Amino acid sequence: MAVARYQYETSPRKLEPTEEKRGKKAKVNKKKKIKIVKEVPRQEIKVSKEQRRKQIKLIMFSLVALAVLLVISYRNSQISVKFSEIQDQKKELASLEKENEQTEVNIENSLNLSNIEQQAKEKLAMSKLTNKQTVYITLPKKDYIESASEKITIKEEDDKNWFEKIIDKIFGN
C-alpha cells in the first residue's frame, strides 16, 4: 500500500509510475510488431470481384455526387444571374419613375396661367385684349330647344301576364 505523504511546497510533486504500470506499457510495446511488406509488382496482386464491385460503386457514387454538386452550382449561378437582372430592372424602373415624376412636375408648371401668358407674349408675340377690341353680340331670347310632342300611352293589356289575359278572355272583362 502506498503511503500518503503531505507536501508543503507550492509546486506539485511528480508521481513516479509504479512497476505495475511500467510492466503494462512494456507488454503493449512488445505486442506491436513492425510488419515489413514486400514490394510486390502490381501485376501479381489479384483483386477479388467483391473488392472490384466496391471500387466501382465508390467511383460511381463519387461521380454522381460530383454531378449533383455541379448541377446545384450551375443552378445557383443561374439564380444569381436572374437576381442581378431583376435588380437592374428595378433600378431602371426607379429611374424611369423619377423621370416620369419630374416630367409631371414640368407639365404642371407649364400649365400655370402666368407661365402660359409669359410664353404667349415672348414666343408668339401675343398681347391681352383691350376694351376697343371687345365685340359684344346679342342673341334672341327665344329658346331653340324643341319640346317633346309625342305622348306615350301605356296599354293595360301589356301590363298583364299571360294567365291574367286568359282569365280576362274567359270571363270577358
Side-chain angles (χ1 to χ4, degrees):
M1 187 168 172
V3 177
R5 293 189 206 174
Y6 292 106
Q7 185 166 352
Y8 297 104
E9 298 174 3
T10 57
S11 62
R13 66 184 168 113
K14 294 182 181 179
L15 296 174
E16 296 178 9
T18 59
E19 289 181 24
E20 295 172 358
K21 290 181 182 177
R22 285 185 198 163
K24 287 181 184 177
K25 286 183 183 177
K27 288 179 185 177
V28 170
N29 288 338
K30 287 182 183 179
K31 287 182 183 179
K32 290 184 182 178
K33 292 183 180 178
I34 299 174
K35 294 182 181 180
I36 300 174
V37 179
K38 294 185 216 174
E39 290 187 24
V40 180
R42 191 156 183 96
Q43 295 172 353
E44 292 180 17
I45 299 175
K46 293 184 180 180
V47 179
S48 69
K49 289 182 180 180
E50 289 179 22
Q51 289 176 342
R52 189 72 175 154
R53 286 182 190 157
K54 286 181 182 178
Q55 288 176 350
I56 291 173
K57 284 182 182 179
L58 180 64
I59 290 171
M60 293 302 286
F61 178 73
S62 300
L63 289 176
V64 168
L66 179 64
V68 168
L69 289 175
L70 286 175
V71 167
I72 290 171
S73 175
Y74 176 74
R75 186 66 188 138
N76 285 342
S77 68
Q78 291 298 319
I79 290 171
S80 175
V81 167
K82 293 295 181 187
F83 182 75
S84 64
E85 287 177 6
I86 289 171
Q87 294 300 322
D88 292 340
Q89 292 292 328
K90 284 182 179 180
K91 287 179 184 176
E92 185 178 348
L93 176 65
S95 66
L96 289 174
E97 286 177 347
K98 185 176 180 181
E99 183 179 333
N100 191 19
E101 288 175 7
Q102 290 175 349
T103 305
E104 286 178 2
V105 168
N106 290 338
I107 289 171
E108 288 178 9
N109 287 340
S110 66
L111 293 179
N112 188 359
L113 289 178
S114 61
N115 287 341
I116 292 173
E117 184 179 340
Q118 182 181 3
Q119 288 181 0
K121 285 180 182 178
E122 291 175 1
K123 292 182 180 178
L124 302 174
M126 297 175 81
S127 62
K128 284 189 173 184
L129 291 175
T130 62
N131 288 336
K132 294 178 183 178
Q133 293 174 328
T134 307
V135 177
Y136 295 99
I137 58 169
T138 57
L139 296 174
K141 296 201 179 206
K142 183 180 174 187
D143 193 7
Y144 291 103
I145 298 174
E146 294 181 15
S147 61
S149 60
E150 298 178 14
K151 292 184 179 179
I152 300 174
T153 58
I154 300 174
K155 295 181 181 179
E156 293 180 17
E157 292 180 9
D158 291 341
D159 291 341
K160 297 179 182 179
N161 61 22
W162 62 273
F163 184 70
E164 291 174 346
K165 288 179 185 179
I166 294 173
I167 292 175
D168 286 342
K169 286 186 180 183
I170 293 173
F171 295 112
N173 279 341

